[in-house]
Amino acid sequence: MTVRRPYVLLSVAMSIDGHIDDATPERLVLSGPEDLDRVDRLRAGSDAVLVGAGTLRGDNPRLLVNSPLRREERLALGLPAHPLRVVLTGGGDLDPALRFWHHGDERVVYAPDHALPRLKQLDGLAEVVGTGPELDLDAVLDDLGARGVRRLMVEGGSSVHTMFLTAGLADEIQLAVAPFFVGVDAAPRFVNAGRFPQDALHRMILAETRTVGDIALLRYLVPRPTDPTRLNEADRRRLARAVELSRHCPPSETAYSVGALVVAEDGTELARGYSRETGPTVHAEQAALARIDPDDPRLRRATLYTTLEPCSARASSPTPCAQLVLAAGIPRVVLAWREPPRFVADCQGVELLEQAGVTVLECPELAAEAREVNAHLA
């Protein structure tokens, strides 16, 4: 069985010139009290919080939920007062006297197998897990997913953020920009040099901007072009938009109300449509695809978001929607629910698409909303 990996949120505060610290031995505080409270809220809403060994040595943090009220809220939900706290180390150089080991609840350390002997000093302080010959983030995320971690907050430092981003394993970045400069070349930055999937041709999605005290908070969603087989937050947001579209459908007692979006790899919406939008027998996918030039090269890397499984047979047209998707060359489909047997005894839309090599992903958390739009057909 495939393990569901956690949603990975990178949290970082930096100066206007991109530094997360200065070059002095003392830790540079970039955030004000309002932003520190925001970070505490993020921790409280996470299943695990992760840092690298360098951050642990340099900042000596506890990585706890500081608010008593938030700890109480976690306990009321049957959760421990603090999230699982995670450390990545490549060499095993971790001092057992650091505060991290002596506060809070569960702790786990991930390291390559060759570093495990050096971590014997942490016996009784943390669980230590080997990741093979290298510090393997895929192995880390698989193990965390198997532990039930659904939301992972990564708090640095530079090397760890770089590892997650260059590997294409981040879903979101929350970037807090402090209103001053550090101005020191030797000071660490948010990320190190690397080859990032998010380049000028594969831009991230700016989902939110707001002020938090004197801090500017930028929230980016990070599409994963290297992992099309996994749902991310951008997928859920776009599918939710398709659900809203389905509410515009003219009522019918003989057909479902469906909304559909076609979105390019870079996040650009190419078209949208909904059932019966342009005619009494027009399907949502049909309406959306009719608005796109079939020779548009972006279709070959696009995603179709539809609230219902594309039809595999229909009486009102010789070409069912699954065939329209295949003809358009769309390689990825995200849907909310499978078609019930009310009008078609055994819809094979998903099977037809998958047999042709299309990646089909279901988003069950939005299925109830999609069904609610069609409650009159129940």
Side-chain angles (χ1 to χ4, degrees):
M1 183 178 68
T2 302
V3 173
R4 177 185 172 187
R5 288 182 172 183
Y7 181 86
V8 178
L9 184 153
L10 273 55
S11 176
V12 63
M14 72 178 194
S15 62
I16 287 179
D17 52 343
H19 294 285
I20 61 172
D21 204 346
D22 56 22
T24 66
E26 294 76 25
R27 178 190 173 207
L28 175 66
V29 178
L30 291 129
S31 296
E34 299 91 346
D35 191 56
L36 292 173
D37 184 67
R38 177 190 65 83
V39 172
D40 193 61
R41 190 182 313 115
L42 284 178
R43 283 184 189 167
S46 301
D47 299 305
V49 179
L50 181 150
V51 296
T55 297
L56 204 64
R57 291 189 293 265
D59 295 347
N60 195 17
R62 298 182 304 163
L63 295 181
L64 303 177
V65 175
N66 294 312
S67 165
L69 177 60
R70 291 179 185 131
R71 294 197 297 268
E72 291 174 6
E73 289 173 345
R74 286 180 59 89
L75 291 170
L77 292 171
L79 301 171
H82 307 282
L84 173 69
R85 291 171 302 145
V86 181
V87 179
L88 302 183
T89 177
D93 183 16
L94 293 171
D95 185 350
L98 292 171
R99 298 192 303 166
F100 178 86
W101 312 114
H102 305 285
H103 296 84
D105 305 307
E106 294 180 271
R107 294 167 288 269
V108 60
V109 178
Y110 293 100
D113 292 349
H114 65 78
L116 298 183
R118 297 193 66 184
L119 294 169
K120 292 290 187 183
Q121 59 187 339
L122 299 180
D123 285 353
L125 298 176
E127 181 181 354
V128 176
V129 178
T131 63
E134 300 177 348
L135 184 55
D136 185 343
L137 289 185
D138 286 309
V140 170
L141 293 177
D142 285 342
D143 186 72
L144 288 174
R147 295 170 185 264
V149 173
R150 295 293 172 258
R151 189 172 181 87
L152 172 65
M153 181 180 179
V154 179
E155 295 198 43
S158 303
S159 296
V160 169
H161 283 146
T162 302
M163 288 172 64
F164 274 95
L165 286 166
T166 55
L169 295 175
D171 294 292
E172 179 178 337
I173 302 171
Q174 293 203 16
L175 181 64
V177 183
F180 60 84
F181 298 87
V182 170
V184 179
D185 286 340
R189 295 183 177 274
F190 168 29
V191 293
N192 302 322
R195 186 172 181 177
F196 298 89
Q198 292 72 43
D199 56 20
L201 297 178
H202 303 89
R203 302 167 77 92
M204 296 185 293
I205 301 164
L206 181 60
E208 180 185 4
T209 62
R210 60 185 168 100
T211 56
V212 183
D214 64 353
I215 295 289
L217 176 66
L218 309 177
R219 189 168 72 89
Y220 290 97
L221 301 179
V222 187
R224 294 194 184 189
T226 58
D227 190 7
T229 62
R230 184 175 184 270
L231 282 175
N232 58 45
E233 194 63 25
D235 288 325
R236 295 178 179 89
R237 179 171 55 82
R238 292 164 184 157
L239 189 58
R241 195 182 304 159
V243 172
E244 291 306 310
L245 273 176
S246 71
R247 301 184 193 280
H248 296 284
C249 298
S252 172
E253 294 298 322
T254 59
Y256 289 102
S257 294
V258 180
L261 297 173
V262 182
V263 179
E265 184 188 31
D266 65 358
T268 302
E269 182 180 310
L270 301 181
R272 59 173 58 192
Y274 54 85
S275 302
R276 300 173 292 285
E277 180 183 5
T278 58
T281 62
V282 173
H283 288 198
E285 301 94 323
Q286 180 184 4
L289 289 170
R291 295 188 167 99
I292 308 173
D293 182 344
D295 293 324
D296 190 328
R298 293 175 295 178
L299 282 170
R300 306 304 182 264
R301 304 184 75 172
T303 297
L304 169 69
Y305 297 88
T306 178
T307 58
L308 185 68
E309 177 181 14
C311 63
S312 57
R314 58 188 293 190
S316 60
S317 169
T319 309
C321 290
Q323 292 295 340
L324 292 176
V325 174
L326 294 177
I330 294 175
R332 187 171 184 264
V333 174
V334 177
L335 57 91
W337 63 315
R338 298 284 192 105
E339 182 171 348
R342 181 180 178 88
F343 302 121
V344 176
D346 184 20
C347 181
Q348 297 288 312
V350 168
E351 288 79 2
L352 286 174
L353 294 170
E354 290 183 335
Q355 286 168 10
V358 175
T359 297
V360 181
L361 303 173
E362 293 185 54
C363 186
E365 55 261 52
L366 287 172
E369 293 184 43
R371 283 194 295 266
E372 182 271 330
V373 177
N374 294 279
H376 63 288
L377 297 174

